[in-house]
Amino acid sequence: MTMQTHIKTFTPARPIWCAGCGDFAVQGVLEKSLHKMGIPPHKLMLLAGIGCSGTIQNNLPCYGYHALHGRVLPAAIGAKLANPDLTVIAAGGDGDGYAIGAGHLVHTFKSNPSIMYVVMNNCNYGLTKGQASPTSPIGYHDNPESGMDSILLGLSFPSATFIARGFSGNPEQLERLMEAALDHTESRKGFAFLEVLSPCVTYYDTHREWRARVYNVDEEEGYDPADRSMAFQRCLKLRDEGRIPIGRIFKGVHPSLESLTLNKAELPPAQQKVGHEGHREQYDKFINSYMG
Amino acid sequence: MSSNNGRPILEDVNVIVAGQGGDGSLTVITMLAELLRTNGLNVYTERDVLSRIRGGHAAATMRAFAGDRYCIGSSINLLVALDEEAVEKNARQLDSRSVVVYDDSGGPVPSVLPQGAIVYSAPFNRIAMRTMRRELYKNSIAFGVVGRLLGLEDETLRETFIKHFQRMGQVILEYNLEALGLGFHLADEKGIHEGEGLYRIKKTAPEKRMLITGNESVAFGFMVAGGRFFCGYPITPSSEILETLQKWLPRCGGVARQTEDELAGINMAIGAALTGTRAMVATSGPGFSLMQEGVGHCGSGEIPLVIVDCQRSGPSTGMPTKPEQSDLNLMVFGGHGDFPRIVLAPGHPDDCFYLTVDATNLADKYQCPVFLAMDQALSQNIATVEPFNLDGVSAVPGKRVEAEDIEKAGVYKRYEFTEDNISAFAAPGTPGGMSLVTGNEHNEWGLVSTDPVNRVKMMNKRMDKIKAAKSELPTARHFGDKDAKIGFIGIGSLFGVILEAMEDLEREGVKTRYLQPRTVWPVLEDVLAFIDKCSRVYVVELNAQAQLAHILVHQGADPGKIINILKYDGIPFRPAELAKRVLGEEGRMIKKGKKEAKLQ
Ligand code: SF4
């Protein structure tokens, strides 16, 4: 990413991830995609949750925000609604997004704001030393519950517009998916959901296993991401076969939250000057509506 | 009944309409209030509902008066009881001069009324069922009788109906007008002819005044202060703030959003605040508890946010529709760790408006959470107020840097140590202003840091911001006799009650003065000075633990001077009730004084 070199602002930190962690690939691809898309750093707001993946905002020169555990999506939505001209990216892990933040994920699919959400799924809680997460399979650390599938969850929303899954072991495809996701939000088409299979080499190294299990729908002839029932059927079938679908799984059309929420005749909230008298007429109307 | 000439001019009258939820008590009171306001009177209305959707005892109370009153009066002049329970529940507020209009469809009036009270019984329900086949119209019939009793003209009552019911369609209007006519007929039967009620209405040219709730005033204050982003999750008694802003804020280019829960609410508002937008959330106790994590985050990350807590009875889900002031501890001390915050406490809808403007400006200036301590009565009761003076308030922007400033300085640190401990803010989108905002301890750049030297400096920077702010926080208002040795302190809806109890006490020969703190935290010098000057101070609170008094003592007030007057039964204080409590205490003081004198 480029940045004005003569102005001294914070120096991005070096990632604190373990050597070999899948999150490196995610960051690398993200930086590359942003560069390629020509998104300037001062227009980018990168919000991250809590967890290993939640440190990503320290590493990029942009407007960064370290959200509370599980709350990255509402914060990102607030930022986008307040200033839709910003590129808003939310990032986090499976614990952050699917456990404590699950309710917000549901409602973000429902409301369809033009933000990108990258979930680095490693099927465990790396930062707190490997406890089971919502995506951990039965048997992991004696986990008695089966893991959840965020793609299938997203597909159930009529308002879902972009659903994809990448794999850090396949950075070329991840780059294509990331660019498509960014393109989706930059053209204000709504919520771009991108889950990345990002192995935790320290507590749960799934790298090899996943390489053997992934199934790339992008390579399947006749797979149509606009066909929701096809997406559902394929994902369910693959799950029964013990395989994990990756690629551009679904693309739908639905009005974005900001297009439904913002008053187009006015500047968006963040761009209004505080203290101007521009809305005096509305204020007077308000007062009048309470007078006898 | 008094003769035509002897009828007093309607100057101060308290009316309750009570029945079951859904009986339309609130409709009757709302129409009466509107009507009396157009006659130049001020009004104040209160509602007492159970937290259920339909049914259960429900009452609406209205006070109409010439002059300034900020609460319901001590005794009820007119009770309109639509059932037996309505009499039983409200009899304690009646006295020997009260008038009761009673729907005796279900049986004779219960024998709980005070001696001397005049009763007009009429089977509203039965008449409504018999003549109109609908129970629904009983309140319109009752309205006819009440209107006559108050001395209002039939024609103005009819006009009010037309104004009120027209929106609901011609058929509904006609049925209601018919019911009103039945009410007049009934009144005639009871000998209450037009112009022969209990009062005479003095027609004055009505001053232009607003009729508004505290919640609506908060919503408007936020809007005028340049607030452009609001989030809320519906919760009684704060929901009207959300509803009002959903209606008005988009017209000013703002966003008012109902979120999936309170956690989303506060975090979405934080997200908006991060872009430089003035943001606010509103909630009540249980929702406020859920927001605590976000509150601390605003403190640590120096994120400006206004948080309105419309307090209701707690703990836990408590009594959602009843007023209390028992979240003060949570506002002042809530959240983990140490961080600065400001707590403001308005006492009347106009105060709600002006203090919300202040809260919004202060949050932006000091980059910290600012709370508005409301209570259910203040939030939801309707009062007449002077039209808000828009020229008297301004939205003052916080410390900002634009691209040119950064360019010139050649450096930008989000959390820069400065003289006034406030770091300039660069809104996302500003070239060169890239920064990190985090709740983790951080250095000036926003990078996570556990360096002990930085930690202490950063902590001091945050805490000291508020010390410096003290001189510009809203000060208390003083009332009463400057030389009185007996003082009152109380916030929120107690404002009006205390003012009127002081008059009662004065009549009993007890001179008092009152300080209404408008900033609860940090505790300001003027509050402590007031306590210093008094021999004893009655701190009146709607909670069980004397939270406000404890906060004052915590900040240096002499505990020996404070006498707690607490109420937590969910029922608002009436002035006489408060005066009686104080007189009781004063009596004890005198006895104690005599005893001490004897022992010497
Ligand atoms: S603990 Fe696992 S997820 Fe966390 S940084 Fe290390 S490898 Fe990555």
Side-chain angles (χ1 to χ4, degrees), chain A residues 149-247:
Chain A
D149 188 329
S150 60
I151 302 283
L152 280 165
L153 174 79
L155 282 171
S156 70
F157 288 88
S159 49
T161 50
F162 185 104
I163 298 175
R165 183 185 275 136
F167 174 35
S168 69
N170 189 348
E172 297 80 29
Q173 183 194 30
L174 183 56
E175 213 178 300
R176 282 195 300 277
L177 295 174
M178 187 90 74
E179 272 169 37
L182 276 171
D183 183 64
H184 189 77
T185 59
E186 287 308 276
S187 47
R188 309 248 177 113
K189 288 182 182 149
F191 183 45
F193 177 74
L194 175 60
E195 181 185 277
V196 185
L197 301 170
S198 175
C200 167
V201 292
T202 304
Y203 294 106
Y204 189 19
D205 194 351
T206 47
H207 194 90
R208 275 184 162 184
E209 183 202 324
W210 280 350
R211 190 168 284 292
R213 283 175 61 197
V214 291
Y215 173 94
N216 193 345
V217 297
D218 289 349
E219 287 169 356
E220 180 185 317
E221 218 172 299
Y223 183 85
D224 178 8
D227 184 339
R228 188 191 297 267
S229 64
M230 182 184 269
F232 249 122
Q233 277 166 15
R234 186 68 75 258
C235 288
L236 286 172
K237 185 158 174 286
L238 288 166
R239 189 170 72 177
D240 292 344
E241 291 167 357
R243 306 205 62 181
I244 311 168
I246 57 171

Side-chain angles (χ1 to χ4, degrees), chain B residues 216-231:
Chain B
E216 289 159 321
S217 305
V218 165
F220 186 54
F222 176 63
M223 204 160 87
V224 170
R228 288 296 175 268
F229 196 94
F230 177 85
C231 283

Side-chain angles (χ1 to χ4, degrees), chain A residues 16-24 51-53 55 120 122 124-130 198-204:
Chain A
I16 53 163
W17 299 312
C18 312
C21 175
D23 294 355
F24 280 105
C52 294
S53 55
T55 59
M120 291 160 247
N122 59 13
N124 82 105
Y125 285 86
L127 192 70
T128 49
K129 299 192 167 50
S198 175
C200 167
V201 292
T202 304
Y203 294 106
Y204 189 19

